[in-house]
Amino acid sequence: MSYDDDRAARLPLAEGRAELLEEIMAQPQTESRRAHARWIAPLAAAAAVAAVVGGIALVSRGGSPTRGSDPAAGGGAVCWDGSTGATCPAPTGRAALPWVFPRLAGHLDRCVDALAAESDDPPMPFGTPAPGGPSGGVPTADRPAAYRCDLGMLGLDASAAAPRVWVYALGSDGGSATPGESHLSALVQRFGTGTFSIGGETAGPLVMDEVGLIHPSHLFIAKYADYPFAVMGYADDKAEAEQIIAALGARKPSEMTAPGVPDPSLPDFPSQALRSPEPTPS
Amino acid sequence: MRVGRDIDQDVGRGIDEAVDAGPDARFRQLYADHFDAVLGFALRRTERPEDAADVVAETFLVAWRRLGHVPADGTRPWLYGVARRVLANHRRGDGRRAALGRRLRDQLAGLSPDVAESVARRTDVEVAMSRLSGRDEEVLQLHLWEGLEPREIADVLGISAAIVRPRLSRAKARLRDLLGNDPGTAGHDYSRNPRTIGEEGPS
């Protein structure tokens, strides 16, 4: 466009400009009282960047995945990794995403390595890239596995007003905690102002931060206390955040290691996770 | 050329004085100092002027609500960073139409014929820039249109200057290849201190 600032300054907008100023100053000054606003703002920026990755339209499914079922009753109950033991190994890594969040089944291709494609656009909780490292940022050996699934355009009924949701699988696929997971865990533990629940079961700490940019008014981060998975999105309050988490079909902590019976309505669950190739860093 | 940091130093003095008078005075000063720049930033990135009004309204609303977080040194890059996120929300369709600034929106909407003319006069440089990757285009826009140095661009984008510098150089090189000459043009008035492609400012 040919607008330069001087030209913008000459536009006949005096009335609108003055009126806007008064309108803004008539608004309550809801300055965040929490110190974590300093890191949550760049996190919101990172989230905005994540949105560029593209939306994902999860097909509305009539049924809900069966999970935590009695293996005997189900006959053929399996774990997220394809094993069939009485107790499943703790889910970890990208392959377990559909296990933890069954609504992701069939859409793992939209879960990208959050640090691979653009090293300078990491989710901020995982740390700031160091210059000079591979890919211009974090040294490979120190990069946490952080698969970020952009669930924009999710179409979740429960979150119609909060269309942007990101799901994170933290930690390496080998199951060990990484600096990324440890870092996020520390942040959530430090700044979490409460806990979130799934099906009435407390699952982990919850961070709610006023964003001010969009509606709903808060950016939330909910991380399982005992498992390397997290959900980030926008919600007005804790109840709405929990609705969003529930709409993802998030597994209760007590069901994380319980074998489940694949739901016929989710033909690729959970074996889809086994077939899905690992994302290729670009 | 009066780039963002220079301008911030100037207006920073005004803000320093305003701080003593309380948040209202500080915000009024901030609004007066940066309104035109934020409006220009938005106008250069929106197809419809009335959308720019929404971006301006939301950006300054955020500044008002988070006045304590607005850096006195680096106010403009901070505001650009907020405006950038507001724009991103709008482009994704997530942004709500600002309830504020209705008159400003109406006034800007009345400028449509003028805007149409300006769109028709899109320069070869802008066309070439649009052929760059989104990231290269954005960093180049911040440099050429807003007159920001790499460190300020880094502030806007929330990344390190060490990443901005090579990206900016790469973007310039690609633009040079596309144009076969220097780009010129900027959102700021570069006639006062023109910057040519290939020139790196201090960072």
Side-chain angles (χ1 to χ4, degrees), chain A residues 30-91:
Chain A
T30 55
E31 182 68 55
S32 173
R33 293 178 298 276
R34 297 185 294 277
H36 61 275
R38 290 188 181 279
W39 64 265
I40 208 79
L43 175 58
V49 173
V52 179
V53 173
I56 179 171
L58 283 183
V59 177
S60 177
R61 301 177 187 273
S64 60
T66 303
R67 61 185 195 226
S69 306
D70 177 358
V78 296
C79 296
W80 64 274
D81 61 348
S83 62
T84 56
T87 301
C88 299

CSV table of all heavy atoms in Angstrom, one decimal, chain A residues 30-91:
chain,number,residue,atom,x,y,z
A,30,THR,N,-7.5,-4.0,33.1
A,30,THR,CA,-7.3,-5.4,33.7
A,30,THR,C,-5.9,-5.8,33.6
A,30,THR,O,-5.6,-6.8,32.9
A,30,THR,CB,-8.3,-6.4,33.0
A,30,THR,OG1,-8.0,-6.3,31.6
A,30,THR,CG2,-9.7,-6.0,33.2
A,31,GLU,N,-5.0,-5.1,34.1
A,31,GLU,CA,-3.6,-5.5,34.1
A,31,GLU,C,-3.5,-6.8,34.8
A,31,GLU,O,-4.0,-7.0,35.9
A,31,GLU,CB,-2.8,-4.4,34.8
A,31,GLU,CG,-1.3,-4.7,34.8
A,31,GLU,CD,-0.7,-4.6,33.4
A,31,GLU,OE1,-0.9,-3.5,32.8
A,31,GLU,OE2,-0.1,-5.5,33.0
A,32,SER,N,-2.8,-7.7,34.1
A,32,SER,CA,-2.6,-9.0,34.8
A,32,SER,C,-1.8,-8.8,36.0
A,32,SER,O,-0.8,-8.1,36.1
A,32,SER,CB,-1.8,-9.9,33.8
A,32,SER,OG,-1.5,-11.1,34.5
A,33,ARG,N,-2.2,-9.5,37.1
A,33,ARG,CA,-1.5,-9.4,38.3
A,33,ARG,C,-0.5,-10.5,38.5
A,33,ARG,O,0.2,-10.6,39.5
A,33,ARG,CB,-2.5,-9.4,39.5
A,33,ARG,CG,-3.4,-8.2,39.5
A,33,ARG,CD,-4.4,-8.4,40.7
A,33,ARG,NE,-5.3,-9.5,40.5
A,33,ARG,CZ,-6.4,-9.5,39.7
A,33,ARG,NH1,-6.7,-8.4,39.1
A,33,ARG,NH2,-7.1,-10.6,39.6
A,34,ARG,N,-0.5,-11.3,37.5
A,34,ARG,CA,0.4,-12.5,37.6
A,34,ARG,C,1.7,-12.2,36.8
A,34,ARG,O,1.7,-11.7,35.7
A,34,ARG,CB,-0.3,-13.7,37.1
A,34,ARG,CG,-1.5,-14.1,37.9
A,34,ARG,CD,-2.1,-15.4,37.5
A,34,ARG,NE,-2.6,-15.4,36.1
A,34,ARG,CZ,-3.8,-14.9,35.9
A,34,ARG,NH1,-4.6,-14.4,36.8
A,34,ARG,NH2,-4.2,-14.9,34.6
A,35,ALA,N,2.8,-12.7,37.4
A,35,ALA,CA,4.1,-12.4,36.8
A,35,ALA,C,4.3,-13.1,35.5
A,35,ALA,O,5.1,-12.7,34.7
A,35,ALA,CB,5.2,-12.8,37.8
A,36,HIS,N,3.6,-14.2,35.3
A,36,HIS,CA,3.9,-15.0,34.1
A,36,HIS,C,3.4,-14.4,32.8
A,36,HIS,O,3.6,-14.9,31.8
A,36,HIS,CB,3.3,-16.4,34.3
A,36,HIS,CG,1.8,-16.4,34.4
A,36,HIS,ND1,1.1,-16.2,35.6
A,36,HIS,CD2,0.8,-16.5,33.4
A,36,HIS,CE1,-0.2,-16.3,35.4
A,36,HIS,NE2,-0.4,-16.5,34.1
A,37,ALA,N,2.7,-13.2,33.0
A,37,ALA,CA,2.3,-12.5,31.7
A,37,ALA,C,3.5,-12.3,30.8
A,37,ALA,O,3.4,-12.2,29.6
A,37,ALA,CB,1.6,-11.2,32.1
A,38,ARG,N,4.7,-12.2,31.4
A,38,ARG,CA,5.9,-11.8,30.6
A,38,ARG,C,6.3,-13.0,29.7
A,38,ARG,O,6.9,-12.8,28.7
A,38,ARG,CB,7.0,-11.5,31.5
A,38,ARG,CG,6.8,-10.2,32.2
A,38,ARG,CD,8.1,-9.7,33.0
A,38,ARG,NE,7.9,-8.5,33.7
A,38,ARG,CZ,7.9,-7.3,33.1
A,38,ARG,NH1,8.2,-7.2,31.8
A,38,ARG,NH2,7.7,-6.2,33.7
A,39,TRP,N,6.0,-14.2,30.1
A,39,TRP,CA,6.3,-15.3,29.2
A,39,TRP,C,5.0,-15.8,28.5
A,39,TRP,O,5.1,-16.4,27.4
A,39,TRP,CB,7.0,-16.4,29.9
A,39,TRP,CG,6.2,-17.1,31.0
A,39,TRP,CD1,6.1,-16.9,32.3
A,39,TRP,CD2,5.2,-18.2,30.8
A,39,TRP,NE1,5.3,-17.7,33.0
A,39,TRP,CE2,4.7,-18.5,32.0
A,39,TRP,CE3,4.8,-18.9,29.6
A,39,TRP,CZ2,3.7,-19.5,32.2
A,39,TRP,CZ3,3.8,-19.9,29.8
A,39,TRP,CH2,3.3,-20.2,31.1
A,40,ILE,N,3.9,-15.5,29.0
A,40,ILE,CA,2.7,-16.0,28.3
A,40,ILE,C,2.4,-15.2,27.1
A,40,ILE,O,1.8,-15.7,26.1
A,40,ILE,CB,1.5,-15.9,29.3
A,40,ILE,CG1,0.5,-17.0,28.9
A,40,ILE,CG2,0.8,-14.6,29.3
A,40,ILE,CD1,0.8,-18.4,29.4
A,41,ALA,N,2.8,-13.9,27.0
A,41,ALA,CA,2.6,-13.2,25.8
A,41,ALA,C,3.3,-13.7,24.6
A,41,ALA,O,2.8,-14.0,23.6
A,41,ALA,CB,2.9,-11.7,26.1
A,42,PRO,N,4.7,-14.0,24.8
A,42,PRO,CA,5.3,-14.6,23.7
A,42,PRO,C,4.8,-16.0,23.4
A,42,PRO,O,4.8,-16.5,22.2
A,42,PRO,CB,6.8,-14.7,24.1
A,42,PRO,CG,6.8,-14.4,25.5
A,42,PRO,CD,5.6,-13.6,25.8
A,43,LEU,N,4.2,-16.6,24.4
A,43,LEU,CA,3.6,-17.9,24.1
A,43,LEU,C,2.4,-17.7,23.2
A,43,LEU,O,2.2,-18.5,22.3
A,43,LEU,CB,3.2,-18.6,25.5
A,43,LEU,CG,2.4,-19.9,25.4
A,43,LEU,CD1,3.2,-20.9,24.6
A,43,LEU,CD2,2.1,-20.4,26.7
A,44,ALA,N,1.6,-16.7,23.5
A,44,ALA,CA,0.5,-16.4,22.6
A,44,ALA,C,1.0,-16.1,21.2
A,44,ALA,O,0.4,-16.5,20.2
A,44,ALA,CB,-0.3,-15.2,23.1
A,45,ALA,N,2.1,-15.5,21.1
A,45,ALA,CA,2.7,-15.2,19.8
A,45,ALA,C,3.1,-16.5,19.1
A,45,ALA,O,2.8,-16.7,17.9
A,45,ALA,CB,3.9,-14.3,19.9
A,46,ALA,N,3.7,-17.4,19.9
A,46,ALA,CA,4.1,-18.7,19.3
A,46,ALA,C,2.8,-19.4,18.9
A,46,ALA,O,2.8,-20.1,17.8
A,46,ALA,CB,4.9,-19.5,20.3
A,47,ALA,N,1.8,-19.3,19.6
A,47,ALA,CA,0.5,-19.9,19.3
A,47,ALA,C,0.0,-19.4,18.0
A,47,ALA,O,-0.5,-20.1,17.1
A,47,ALA,CB,-0.5,-19.8,20.4
A,48,ALA,N,0.1,-18.1,17.8
A,48,ALA,CA,-0.4,-17.5,16.6
A,48,ALA,C,0.4,-18.0,15.4
A,48,ALA,O,-0.1,-18.3,14.3
A,48,ALA,CB,-0.3,-16.0,16.7
A,49,VAL,N,1.7,-18.2,15.6
A,49,VAL,CA,2.5,-18.7,14.6
A,49,VAL,C,2.1,-20.2,14.3
A,49,VAL,O,2.0,-20.6,13.1
A,49,VAL,CB,4.0,-18.7,15.0
A,49,VAL,CG1,4.9,-19.4,13.9
A,49,VAL,CG2,4.5,-17.2,15.0
A,50,ALA,N,1.8,-20.9,15.3
A,50,ALA,CA,1.4,-22.3,15.2
A,50,ALA,C,0.2,-22.4,14.3
A,50,ALA,O,0.0,-23.3,13.5
A,50,ALA,CB,1.2,-22.9,16.5
A,51,ALA,N,-0.7,-21.4,14.4
A,51,ALA,CA,-1.9,-21.4,13.6
A,51,ALA,C,-1.6,-21.4,12.2
A,51,ALA,O,-2.4,-21.9,11.4
A,51,ALA,CB,-2.8,-20.2,14.0
A,52,VAL,N,-0.5,-20.8,11.8
A,52,VAL,CA,-0.2,-20.8,10.4
A,52,VAL,C,0.1,-22.2,9.8
A,52,VAL,O,-0.1,-22.4,8.6
A,52,VAL,CB,1.1,-19.9,10.2
A,52,VAL,CG1,1.5,-19.8,8.7
A,52,VAL,CG2,0.8,-18.5,10.7
A,53,VAL,N,0.5,-23.0,10.7
A,53,VAL,CA,0.7,-24.4,10.3
A,53,VAL,C,-0.6,-24.9,9.6
A,53,VAL,O,-0.5,-25.8,8.7
A,53,VAL,CB,1.0,-25.3,11.5
A,53,VAL,CG1,1.1,-26.8,11.1
A,53,VAL,CG2,2.4,-24.9,12.0
A,54,GLY,N,-1.7,-24.4,10.0
A,54,GLY,CA,-2.9,-24.8,9.3
A,54,GLY,C,-3.9,-25.4,10.3
A,54,GLY,O,-3.6,-25.9,11.3
A,55,GLY,N,-5.1,-25.3,9.9
A,55,GLY,CA,-6.2,-25.8,10.7
A,55,GLY,C,-6.4,-27.3,10.5
A,55,GLY,O,-5.9,-27.8,9.5
A,56,ILE,N,-7.0,-27.8,11.4
A,56,ILE,CA,-7.4,-29.2,11.1
A,56,ILE,C,-8.8,-29.4,11.4
A,56,ILE,O,-9.4,-28.8,12.4
A,56,ILE,CB,-6.5,-30.1,12.1
A,56,ILE,CG1,-6.9,-31.6,11.9
A,56,ILE,CG2,-6.8,-29.8,13.5
A,56,ILE,CD1,-6.0,-32.6,12.6
A,57,ALA,N,-9.5,-30.1,10.6
A,57,ALA,CA,-10.9,-30.2,10.7
A,57,ALA,C,-11.2,-31.7,11.1
A,57,ALA,O,-11.1,-32.6,10.3
A,57,ALA,CB,-11.7,-29.9,9.4
A,58,LEU,N,-11.3,-31.9,12.4
A,58,LEU,CA,-11.6,-33.2,12.8
A,58,LEU,C,-13.0,-33.6,12.4
A,58,LEU,O,-14.0,-32.9,12.7
A,58,LEU,CB,-11.5,-33.3,14.3
A,58,LEU,CG,-10.0,-33.4,14.9
A,58,LEU,CD1,-10.1,-33.6,16.4
A,58,LEU,CD2,-9.3,-34.5,14.2
A,59,VAL,N,-13.1,-34.7,11.8
A,59,VAL,CA,-14.5,-35.1,11.4
A,59,VAL,C,-15.3,-35.5,12.6
A,59,VAL,O,-14.8,-36.2,13.5
A,59,VAL,CB,-14.3,-36.4,10.5
A,59,VAL,CG1,-15.7,-36.9,10.1
A,59,VAL,CG2,-13.5,-36.1,9.2
A,60,SER,N,-16.5,-34.9,12.6
A,60,SER,CA,-17.3,-35.2,13.7
A,60,SER,C,-17.7,-36.7,13.7
A,60,SER,O,-18.2,-37.2,12.7
A,60,SER,CB,-18.6,-34.3,13.6
A,60,SER,OG,-19.5,-34.7,14.6
A,61,ARG,N,-17.5,-37.3,14.8
A,61,ARG,CA,-17.7,-38.7,14.9
A,61,ARG,C,-18.9,-38.9,15.8
A,61,ARG,O,-19.1,-38.3,16.8
A,61,ARG,CB,-16.5,-39.5,15.4
A,61,ARG,CG,-15.3,-39.3,14.6
A,61,ARG,CD,-14.1,-40.0,15.3
A,61,ARG,NE,-12.8,-39.6,14.6
A,61,ARG,CZ,-12.4,-40.3,13.5
A,61,ARG,NH1,-13.1,-41.3,13.0
A,61,ARG,NH2,-11.3,-40.0,12.9
A,62,GLY,N,-19.7,-39.9,15.4
A,62,GLY,CA,-20.9,-40.2,16.1
A,62,GLY,C,-20.6,-40.8,17.5
A,62,GLY,O,-21.2,-40.5,18.5
A,63,GLY,N,-19.7,-41.7,17.5
A,63,GLY,CA,-19.4,-42.4,18.7
A,63,GLY,C,-18.2,-41.8,19.4
A,63,GLY,O,-17.4,-41.0,18.9
A,64,SER,N,-18.0,-42.3,20.6
A,64,SER,CA,-16.8,-41.8,21.3
A,64,SER,C,-15.9,-43.1,21.5
A,64,SER,O,-16.4,-44.2,21.6
A,64,SER,CB,-17.2,-41.2,22.7
A,64,SER,OG,-17.9,-42.2,23.4
A,65,PRO,N,-14.6,-42.9,21.6
A,65,PRO,CA,-13.7,-44.0,21.7
A,65,PRO,C,-14.0,-44.7,23.0
A,65,PRO,O,-14.2,-44.1,24.0
A,65,PRO,CB,-12.4,-43.4,21.6
A,65,PRO,CG,-12.6,-42.0,22.0
A,65,PRO,CD,-13.9,-41.6,21.5
A,66,THR,N,-13.9,-46.0,22.9
A,66,THR,CA,-14.0,-46.8,24.1
A,66,THR,C,-12.6,-46.9,24.7
A,66,THR,O,-11.6,-47.1,24.1
A,66,THR,CB,-14.5,-48.2,23.8
A,66,THR,OG1,-15.7,-48.1,23.1
A,66,THR,CG2,-14.6,-49.1,25.0
A,67,ARG,N,-12.5,-46.7,26.0
A,67,ARG,CA,-11.2,-46.7,26.6
A,67,ARG,C,-11.4,-47.1,28.1
A,67,ARG,O,-12.4,-47.0,28.7
A,67,ARG,CB,-10.6,-45.4,26.5
A,67,ARG,CG,-11.4,-44.3,27.2
A,67,ARG,CD,-10.7,-43.0,27.0
A,67,ARG,NE,-11.3,-42.0,28.0
A,67,ARG,CZ,-11.7,-40.8,27.6
A,67,ARG,NH1,-11.7,-40.4,26.4
A,67,ARG,NH2,-12.2,-40.0,28.5
A,68,GLY,N,-10.3,-47.6,28.6
A,68,GLY,CA,-10.4,-48.0,30.0
A,68,GLY,C,-11.3,-49.2,30.2
A,68,GLY,O,-11.8,-49.4,31.3
A,69,SER,N,-11.6,-49.9,29.1
A,69,SER,CA,-12.6,-51.0,29.3
A,69,SER,C,-11.9,-52.2,29.9
A,69,SER,O,-10.7,-52.4,30.0
A,69,SER,CB,-13.1,-51.4,27.9
A,69,SER,OG,-13.6,-50.2,27.2
A,70,ASP,N,-12.8,-53.0,30.4
A,70,ASP,CA,-12.3,-54.3,30.9
A,70,ASP,C,-11.8,-55.1,29.8
A,70,ASP,O,-12.6,-55.5,28.9
A,70,ASP,CB,-13.5,-55.0,31.6
A,70,ASP,CG,-13.1,-56.4,32.2
A,70,ASP,OD1,-11.9,-56.8,31.9
A,70,ASP,OD2,-13.9,-57.0,32.8
A,71,PRO,N,-10.6,-55.5,29.7
A,71,PRO,CA,-10.0,-56.2,28.6
A,71,PRO,C,-10.8,-57.5,28.3
A,71,PRO,O,-11.0,-57.9,27.2
A,71,PRO,CB,-8.6,-56.5,29.0
A,71,PRO,CG,-8.2,-55.4,30.0
A,71,PRO,CD,-9.5,-55.2,30.7
A,72,ALA,N,-11.2,-58.1,29.4
A,72,ALA,CA,-11.9,-59.4,29.2
A,72,ALA,C,-13.2,-59.2,28.5
A,72,ALA,O,-13.6,-60.0,27.6
A,72,ALA,CB,-12.1,-60.1,30.6
A,73,ALA,N,-13.9,-58.1,28.8
A,73,ALA,CA,-15.2,-57.9,28.2
A,73,ALA,C,-15.0,-57.5,26.7
A,73,ALA,O,-15.8,-57.8,25.9
A,73,ALA,CB,-15.9,-56.8,29.0
A,74,GLY,N,-13.9,-56.7,26.5
A,74,GLY,CA,-13.7,-56.3,25.1
A,74,GLY,C,-13.2,-57.3,24.2
A,74,GLY,O,-13.4,-57.3,23.0
A,75,GLY,N,-12.3,-58.2,24.7
A,75,GLY,CA,-11.8,-59.2,23.8
A,75,GLY,C,-10.9,-58.5,22.8
A,75,GLY,O,-11.4,-58.0,21.8
A,76,GLY,N,-9.6,-58.5,23.0
A,76,GLY,CA,-8.7,-57.9,22.0
A,76,GLY,C,-8.4,-56.5,22.4
A,76,GLY,O,-8.0,-55.6,21.6
A,77,ALA,N,-8.4,-56.2,23.7
A,77,ALA,CA,-8.1,-54.9,24.2
A,77,ALA,C,-6.6,-54.7,24.0
A,77,ALA,O,-5.8,-55.6,24.1
A,77,ALA,CB,-8.4,-54.8,25.7
A,78,VAL,N,-6.2,-53.5,23.6
A,78,VAL,CA,-4.8,-53.2,23.3
A,78,VAL,C,-4.4,-52.0,24.0
A,78,VAL,O,-5.2,-51.2,24.5
A,78,VAL,CB,-4.6,-53.1,21.8
A,78,VAL,CG1,-4.9,-54.4,21.0
A,78,VAL,CG2,-5.5,-52.0,21.2
A,79,CYS,N,-3.1,-51.7,23.9
A,79,CYS,CA,-2.6,-50.5,24.5
A,79,CYS,C,-2.2,-49.6,23.3
A,79,CYS,O,-2.2,-50.0,22.1
A,79,CYS,CB,-1.3,-50.8,25.3
A,79,CYS,SG,-1.7,-51.8,26.8
A,80,TRP,N,-1.8,-48.4,23.7
A,80,TRP,CA,-1.5,-47.4,22.7
A,80,TRP,C,-0.3,-47.8,21.8
A,80,TRP,O,-0.2,-47.4,20.7
A,80,TRP,CB,-1.1,-46.1,23.4
A,80,TRP,CG,0.1,-46.1,24.3
A,80,TRP,CD1,0.1,-46.5,25.6
A,80,TRP,CD2,1.4,-45.8,23.9
A,80,TRP,NE1,1.4,-46.5,26.0
A,80,TRP,CE2,2.2,-46.0,25.0
A,80,TRP,CE3,2.0,-45.4,22.7
A,80,TRP,CZ2,3.6,-45.8,25.0
A,80,TRP,CZ3,3.4,-45.2,22.7
A,80,TRP,CH2,4.2,-45.4,23.8
A,81,ASP,N,0.6,-48.7,22.3
A,81,ASP,CA,1.7,-49.1,21.5
A,81,ASP,C,1.5,-50.4,20.9
A,81,ASP,O,2.4,-51.0,20.3
A,81,ASP,CB,2.9,-49.1,22.4
A,81,ASP,CG,2.8,-50.1,23.6
A,81,ASP,OD1,1.7,-50.6,23.8
A,81,ASP,OD2,3.8,-50.4,24.2
A,82,GLY,N,0.3,-50.9,20.9
A,82,GLY,CA,0.0,-52.2,20.3
A,82,GLY,C,0.1,-53.4,21.2
A,82,GLY,O,-0.2,-54.5,20.8
A,83,SER,N,0.7,-53.2,22.4
A,83,SER,CA,0.8,-54.3,23.3
A,83,SER,C,-0.5,-54.7,23.9
A,83,SER,O,-1.5,-54.0,23.8
A,83,SER,CB,1.8,-53.9,24.4
A,83,SER,OG,1.3,-52.9,25.2
A,84,THR,N,-0.5,-55.9,24.5
A,84,THR,CA,-1.8,-56.4,24.9
A,84,THR,C,-1.7,-56.8,26.4
A,84,THR,O,-2.5,-57.7,26.8
A,84,THR,CB,-2.2,-57.6,24.1
A,84,THR,OG1,-1.2,-58.6,24.1
A,84,THR,CG2,-2.5,-57.2,22.7
A,85,GLY,N,-0.8,-56.3,27.1
A,85,GLY,CA,-0.7,-56.6,28.5
A,85,GLY,C,-1.8,-56.1,29.4
A,85,GLY,O,-2.7,-55.3,28.9
A,86,ALA,N,-1.9,-56.6,30.6
A,86,ALA,CA,-2.9,-56.2,31.5
A,86,ALA,C,-2.8,-54.7,31.8
A,86,ALA,O,-3.8,-54.0,32.1
A,86,ALA,CB,-2.9,-57.0,32.7
A,87,THR,N,-1.6,-54.2,31.8
A,87,THR,CA,-1.4,-52.8,32.1
A,87,THR,C,-0.5,-52.3,30.9
A,87,THR,O,0.5,-52.9,30.5
A,87,THR,CB,-0.6,-52.6,33.4
A,87,THR,OG1,-1.4,-53.2,34.4
A,87,THR,CG2,-0.4,-51.2,33.7
A,88,CYS,N,-0.9,-51.1,30.5
A,88,CYS,CA,-0.1,-50.5,29.3
A,88,CYS,C,1.1,-49.7,29.9
A,88,CYS,O,1.0,-49.2,31.0
A,88,CYS,CB,-1.0,-49.6,28.6
A,88,CYS,SG,-2.5,-50.4,27.8
A,89,PRO,N,2.1,-49.6,29.0
A,89,PRO,CA,3.1,-48.7,29.4
A,89,PRO,C,2.6,-47.3,29.4
A,89,PRO,O,1.6,-47.0,28.7
A,89,PRO,CB,4.2,-48.9,28.3
A,89,PRO,CG,3.4,-49.5,27.2
A,89,PRO,CD,2.3,-50.3,27.8
A,90,ALA,N,3.2,-46.4,30.2
A,90,ALA,CA,2.8,-45.0,30.2
A,90,ALA,C,2.9,-44.4,28.8
A,90,ALA,O,3.9,-44.6,28.2
A,90,ALA,CB,3.6,-44.3,31.2
A,91,PRO,N,1.9,-43.8,28.4
A,91,PRO,CA,1.9,-43.2,27.0
A,91,PRO,C,3.0,-42.1,27.0
A,91,PRO,O,3.2,-41.3,27.9
A,91,PRO,CB,0.5,-42.6,26.8
A,91,PRO,CG,0.0,-42.4,28.2
A,91,PRO,CD,0.6,-43.5,29.0
